[in-house]
Amino acid sequence: MILILDLKTMLKHLFGLPIVILFLLFNFQESHAQNRGIETTSDIGLIVVPAAALTITLIKGDGQGTWQFTKGFLLNQAVTYGLKVSINKPRPFNNGDNSFPSGHTSTTFQAASFIHKRYGFKYSIPAYAIAGLTAFSRVDAQKHDGWDILAGAVIGIGSTLIFTTEYQQEHMELNFSKSEGNYLVEFKYKF
C-alpha cells in the first residue's frame, strides 16, 4: 500500500481549517483554566477528535468531505452556543452558567459521527470512545448533568446527519470479462 500525498491537493482542501482551528482554540482557551485531571481529558478530546476527522479528509484528498465536515462543525457550534446563551442554564453545584448543552460533547460527537457516516463505523470506534470519555468527564467534573450531555450528543450527531454523505471510493474498480470460455473478474484498488 502506497500513500502519496499531493501537496497541491492538500492545500486546496485547507480552506475550512482556519475556521475549525479558531473554534477549537476558543473552546480550548475557555476550558483550559480547569485544573482537575478528568477535566483535562475532556479538553484533549475537544481538540483531538475534530482534528482527527479533519486530518482524515486531508490525507484522503477528500475535498467534499472537508467541506461537509466544516459545514457540520459550523452548524454544531452555532446551535450549541446559541442554545447556551439563550437558555443560560446554571451549571451543577454553582460552577457557572451556560450549561445546556455541553459544547465539549457536541463537538466531539459531531466529529466522531462525521467519521462514522463518511468513512464507516470501524474507523469511528476510537473517536466515539474519546467522545464518550469526554462526555463522562464533563459530568464527573460537575460541569454538566445528563441532559446537557445528551443534548450535546444529539446536536453533534444531528449536525453531521444534515450535511454528510458516504465517501465514494472513486479509486475502486470492478471488471468482468469473458474470453474463449474463460471468465475473469478483476478488482482494482488504487491507494
Side-chain angles (χ1 to χ4, degrees), residues 52-186:
L54 190 59
T55 301
I56 290 168
T57 66
L58 296 174
I59 287 173
K60 286 187 166 285
D62 182 12
Q64 183 181 21
T66 304
W67 180 233
Q68 289 176 3
F69 174 77
T70 303
K71 290 188 293 186
F73 185 85
L74 291 174
L75 176 65
N76 177 51
Q77 297 300 313
V79 170
T80 299
Y81 286 101
L83 287 172
K84 277 182 172 292
V85 171
S86 63
I87 294 173
N88 196 21
K89 177 185 171 197
R91 293 182 186 269
F93 303 100
N94 297 319
N95 282 330
D97 295 329
N98 298 329
S99 176
F100 184 86
S102 169
H104 282 70
T105 304
S106 71
T107 300
T108 54
F109 271 92
Q110 185 271 327
S113 61
F114 170 80
I115 295 169
H116 178 183
K117 182 148 187 196
R118 187 79 178 154
Y119 303 112
F121 179 70
K122 67 181 178 182
Y123 298 107
S124 67
I125 292 171
Y128 277 129
I130 295 170
L133 181 61
T134 299
F136 166 78
S137 71
R138 301 306 289 163
V139 173
D140 186 67
Q142 299 176 343
K143 296 294 183 180
H144 293 286
D145 61 25
W147 292 111
D148 301 340
I149 298 304
L150 179 62
V154 168
I155 292 166
I157 293 169
S159 300
T160 294
L161 294 177
I162 291 172
F163 293 111
T164 307
T165 60
E166 288 184 24
Y167 182 60
Q168 300 299 315
Q169 298 288 339
E170 296 173 359
H171 26 278
M172 197 167 21
E173 187 178 325
L174 182 65
N175 294 317
F176 177 79
S177 64
K178 178 183 174 190
S179 173
E180 299 176 18
N182 295 321
Y183 298 93
L184 177 65
V185 176
E186 178 182 35

Side-chain angles (χ1 to χ4, degrees), residues 32-50:
H32 190 61
Q34 303 161 347
N35 293 323
R36 297 177 50 200
I38 195 72
E39 291 175 293
T40 303
T41 301
S42 67
D43 294 339
I44 292 169
L46 178 67
I47 301 296
V48 168
V49 181

